[in-house]
Amino acid sequence: MINNAVYTIAGGDYERGGSASKSLKDMLKKLGVESATVRRTMVAAYEAEMNVVIHAEQGSMHVAVDPSQVDVAVLDNGPGICDVELAMKEGFSTAPAKARELGFGAGLGLPNIKRNSDRFSIQSTPNQGTQIRFTIYLNAQQTRETALNSVRISRERCRECLLCLRACPTAALRIRDGGPHLLRHLCIDCTSCIAVCDAGALAMPSAEPLPTPADDSVLVIPGSLLSQFGDRVQTDHILEILAKLGFGQVRFLEEWDYALRAAVVLYSREASRPRPILSPVCPAVVNLIQVRFPSLLANVAPFLTPLEAVREELTAPHLCIVPICPSHHTALLPKCLLTHREVIQAKTMLDAITAQVSDSPPSDGPYGPAQVPRGVLQVSGMQHVVKVLEEVENGRMDYETILELYACEQTCFGSPVWKEDAFVTRARWHKEARVFTHRASALHRAGALSPRPGLRLDSDMARAIEKLGQIDEITHELPGRDCGVCGAPTCAALAEDVVLGRADITACAFRGSKKIPNG
Amino acid sequence: MDTKALANVKGIRLVSPGRTEHAPICHVYASDCMSDILNHVDDSTLLITNLSNSALVRVVELMDVPGICLLNGVEPEDEMVSAAARQGAAVLVSSGGMFETCGRLYQAYHEGIIAT
């Protein structure tokens, strides 16, 4: 059950300022929400409401409540914020004297909203307006976003080929008891294991039938979807099919890719930024940095990934999204009550289009190259990404300004959901310079990225040192074949499993046999 | 402490008593910055502030503040007093400034004039 409400906010009306928050408070009290939670919601809602009163002519507060959370969106048509990063800093304010007289304008409003909410995002376009969204969870043990991932396992399909063990960039997989076992705290939601698993034991969430779209549904697809149907099918034809299926309004994930790139280029002009700048284009790579390269977190430009930006920016009541990797799925997991979000599996979409597709005259022109501006280095494919991040960590790449790192080969065109070759489909997509009719935004990341403690052996450092010593000792005892027969990707990984109690040393079939010399 | 006891503190005058069913006042918070006030007051906090306006009454309403103490002998407007009364919040006026008023309250607490 969801309770919805919309309250209008009149800009400049200081007398009535706070009335929307008051209505929200009354609603929460009637629903029996705990008083400490009401208080937090009120701080955030009142600050957001007064922002509208102070800066805009009019605005509205949209609220949705269910038994697990309160979602609030505050929209206005005000002057917008030129520099969201600056606005999020405590003490920065552009409030007029009138507001300051009333005790506002200390530059603490936005940080205050963020501090008092569990999820927070802000999107602002100069001269158009600002949109603040926040969520407050009603029970304390709500799962944190970072603790989730979306690789699905069907153990019975596993053929124990061990390919996934070698593919995983964070050594998060084990083959135990005849099937894959995922150490979820290490999994970064990339597609490496899915791409090598022909048996289908590791996969994306399973396909559901195509939903019937509402009249006002907005469909968000990756551009790569359009290039999966060969050279004889024009992309416009596919858009026609989508319209026939009920998806008249189509937006492309690439719109947010380009918006992010523009924002990162602007961000990079400031000389003080840590170099090279890592653009958060791919959520799996952001996860990788959090798990394996925490020292580089400061280099990640403070923006949301494109799919997160879609999630936070689009306020359409019905949103259908085609995610094409586990990290996309995970980004869509946090529930949003204000927008009804429907996830459509790439396979479902492909099948639905394929059923209706007919050959049409091929589109004009030869294949095109992906346009990457000077100063931006695009690297795709997990192996390359890991190498480049190692180079960056070793301080050997500081001359490059912006790095766009994608976990999949040829950017998202290489997602394993696609059957066509990534090089071909990407060139096909760039055959036509598609002009986007909508404007997408890059959204500032409100909270700093924190390292994921996945690799830490123990929360107590003294004990971690002890364990590291034990791991070294056991690793020396093991043959060093890294054969994977024990179910761990390397001998060192098995040693770690033994010390952390995840496996027994007897799992090694070659223990005591001749040691393979290192290197 | 209850708000009426506060009127026994030197220089502090009770303009309008709040609802007695409020939770007893356990904290005192003094600030003129709205964001700080929002973050620190709750239904057991006496708010000491120079702000005397509609926004302040709104905060009292949203955060269930049981009492406000205005400063420097500033007489609150009738409208504000009645608005606060509708929320059940007490209104007090101190003749001193913020620092002095906090000092007096602290002293009164230690002398046992007001008790928690």
Side-chain angles (χ1 to χ4, degrees):
Chain A
M1 281 307 290
I2 301 176
N3 192 353
N4 278 290
V6 181
Y7 311 113
T8 54
I9 304 170
D13 187 349
Y14 288 87
E15 289 298 318
R16 281 195 62 233
S19 57
S21 303
K22 168 70 174 137
S23 307
L24 171 57
K25 182 186 179 187
D26 291 343
M27 183 215 275
L28 296 181
K29 281 177 107 174
K30 273 181 205 153
L31 296 173
V33 174
E34 200 198 352
S35 64
T37 311
V38 175
R39 204 176 150 262
R40 273 182 353 128
T41 314
M42 280 308 107
V43 176
Y46 186 55
E47 291 276 19
E49 182 176 357
M50 288 314 291
N51 271 347
V52 177
V53 172
I54 294 168
H55 297 285
E57 277 166 23
Q58 58 175 3
S60 53
M61 180 185 284
H62 302 251
V63 180
V65 187
D66 84 347
S68 67
Q69 67 191 61
V70 184
D71 276 3
V72 180
V74 177
L75 322 177
D76 71 51
N77 68 346
I81 302 169
C82 295
D83 187 342
V84 175
E85 190 186 5
L86 193 59
M88 286 301 297
K89 281 215 175 94
E90 296 201 355
F92 178 84
S93 175
T94 58
K98 165 83 176 147
R100 287 174 196 260
E101 267 168 37
L102 294 174
F104 297 98
L108 295 169
L110 291 178
N112 222 1
I113 301 172
K114 182 176 165 272
R115 197 171 25 239
N116 282 285
S117 55
D118 294 306
R119 289 164 30 73
F120 166 81
S121 75
I122 173 165
Q123 187 271 320
S124 191
T125 313
N127 302 321
Q128 283 185 22
T130 301
Q131 169 180 321
I132 287 173
R133 291 174 88 153
F134 62 87
T135 297
I136 288 169
Y137 293 133
L138 300 183
N139 30 20
Q141 307 93 341
Q142 207 94 18
T143 359
R144 292 283 307 272
E145 221 174 312
T146 47
L148 304 166
N149 61 33
S150 304
V151 175
R152 292 285 177 277
I153 296 179
S154 316
R155 297 178 59 87
E156 68 288 352
R157 294 189 172 171
C158 180
R159 298 197 294 243
E160 299 187 56
C161 67
L162 307 181
L163 287 176
C164 56
L165 293 187
R166 304 216 196 298
C168 179
T170 54
L173 275 161
R174 304 288 184 271
I175 304 291
R176 296 271 149 78
D177 307 321
H181 175 77
L182 187 60
L183 303 174
R184 296 211 174 255
H185 61 290
L186 291 175
C187 176
I188 58 163
D189 254 351
C190 70
T191 54
S192 301
C193 59
I194 297 175
V196 296
C197 187
D198 288 337
L202 294 155
M204 304 260 290
S206 51
E208 309 268 330
L210 194 71
T212 322
D215 290 342
D216 53 357
S217 278
V218 175
L219 174 70
V220 183
I221 55 168
S224 44
L225 174 69
L226 296 193
S227 42
Q228 299 300 317
F229 303 94
D231 282 330
R232 289 167 158 272
V233 179
Q234 280 190 7
T235 49
D236 281 343
H237 176 52
I238 302 181
L239 291 175
E240 282 164 24
I241 295 175
L242 286 173
K244 255 190 259 167
L245 292 169
F247 300 105
Q249 293 187 65
V250 176
R251 305 275 314 255
F252 293 92
L253 253 181
E254 278 72 8
E255 296 170 40
W256 282 270
D257 285 356
Y258 295 143
L260 174 65
R261 179 182 284 165
V264 172
V265 166
L266 205 62
Y267 170 84
S268 73
R269 301 223 171 113
E270 183 93 35
S272 62
R273 312 295 189 197
R275 311 276 159 162
I277 288 163
L278 306 174
S279 175
V281 278
C282 169
V285 172
V286 174
N287 292 340
L288 175 72
I289 295 170
Q290 284 178 294
V291 173
R292 250 182 92 168
F293 301 95
S295 67
L296 300 181
L297 283 172
N299 295 53
V300 180
F303 299 97
L304 295 181
T305 60
L307 197 81
E308 286 172 318
V310 170
R311 179 188 77 189
E312 299 300 329
E313 183 182 7
L314 290 185
T315 39
H318 293 93
L319 197 58
C320 297
I321 305 186
V322 181
I324 51 171
C325 68
S327 63
H328 277 176
H329 272 279
T330 302
L332 295 173
L333 284 179
K335 193 167 60 168
C336 175
L337 304 176
L338 291 164
T339 302
H340 180 74
R341 265 195 323 238
E342 195 109 42
V343 166
I344 304 176
Q345 299 298 333
K347 186 172 183 317
T348 310
M349 207 73 214
L350 275 176
D351 291 349
I353 297 172
T354 310
Q356 302 209 20
V357 89
S358 56
D359 284 2
S360 49
S363 53
D364 291 337
Y367 282 169
Q371 297 293 331
V372 179
R374 214 180 155 74
V376 175
L377 174 63
Q378 213 170 48
V379 178
S380 63
M382 191 44 89
Q383 286 179 336
H384 300 286
V385 167
V386 168
K387 260 190 206 160
V388 166
L389 286 173
E390 278 167 355
E391 294 281 287
V392 174
E393 201 169 46
N394 295 336
R396 303 220 306 244
M397 284 206 55
D398 47 4
Y399 48 86
E400 271 299 342
T401 39
I402 297 168
L403 287 169
E404 293 185 348
L405 308 177
Y406 289 87
C408 296
E409 199 82 55
Q410 291 296 306
T411 73
C412 297
F413 290 85
S415 161
V417 299
W418 306 132
K419 297 292 170 248
E420 298 257 316
D421 183 77
F423 286 82
V424 177
T425 51
R426 192 178 188 204
R428 196 177 281 150
W429 165 256
H430 288 289
K431 202 169 182 169
E432 52 176 316
R434 180 161 289 279
V435 180
F436 300 121
T437 43
H438 294 83
R439 219 191 113 110
S441 315
L443 267 70
H444 188 81
R445 184 182 291 279
L449 288 166
S450 51
R452 257 166 65 175
L455 291 180
R456 200 168 12 163
L457 296 170
D458 200 297
S459 50
D460 175 59
M461 200 191 270
R463 258 182 294 172
I465 291 172
E466 197 182 309
K467 284 179 180 172
L468 197 61
Q470 291 170 2
I471 291 171
D472 280 347
E473 226 168 85
I474 297 176
T475 310
H476 279 296
E477 277 173 38
L478 293 168
R481 292 164 185 253
D482 291 344
C483 62
V485 172
C486 64
T490 60
C491 292
L494 175 63
E496 189 175 320
D497 287 353
V498 171
V499 171
L500 297 180
R502 294 194 291 243
D504 196 89
I505 186 85
T506 54
C508 178
F510 302 102
R511 200 157 54 108
S513 69
K514 191 169 157 274
K515 177 100 186 145
I516 311 288
N518 259 347
Chain B
M1 68 184 106
D2 74 37
T3 44
K4 280 189 194 123
L6 289 167
N8 298 329
V9 179
K10 191 182 156 210
I12 295 182
R13 186 167 58 83
L14 187 67
V15 178
S16 135
R19 249 200 317 262
T20 43
E21 66 265 25
H22 261 302
I25 290 171
C26 305
H27 315 276
V28 175
Y29 188 75
S31 174
D32 293 336
C33 168
M34 204 52 100
S35 291
D36 282 340
I37 292 173
L38 283 169
N39 261 326
H40 290 96
V41 298
D42 59 16
D43 59 2
S44 63
T45 307
L46 174 73
L47 172 59
I48 300 180
T49 183
N50 283 298
L51 301 171
S52 165
N53 51 45
S54 57
L56 182 70
V57 177
R58 189 65 83 176
V59 170
V60 167
E61 183 179 19
L62 294 178
M63 310 311 284
D64 299 315
V65 176
I68 45 178
C69 179
L70 305 176
L71 299 168
N72 298 315
V74 170
E75 206 54 41
E77 285 170 23
D78 291 346
E79 223 170 88
M80 189 191 154
V81 175
S82 54
R86 274 199 299 279
Q87 307 310 321
V91 179
L92 300 118
V93 175
S94 166
S95 57
M98 187 181 280
F99 182 78
E100 198 183 335
T101 305
C102 290
R104 281 178 191 164
L105 279 171
Y106 183 78
Q107 199 177 6
Y109 171 68
H110 279 279
E111 287 170 357
I113 297 173
I114 50 177
T116 52

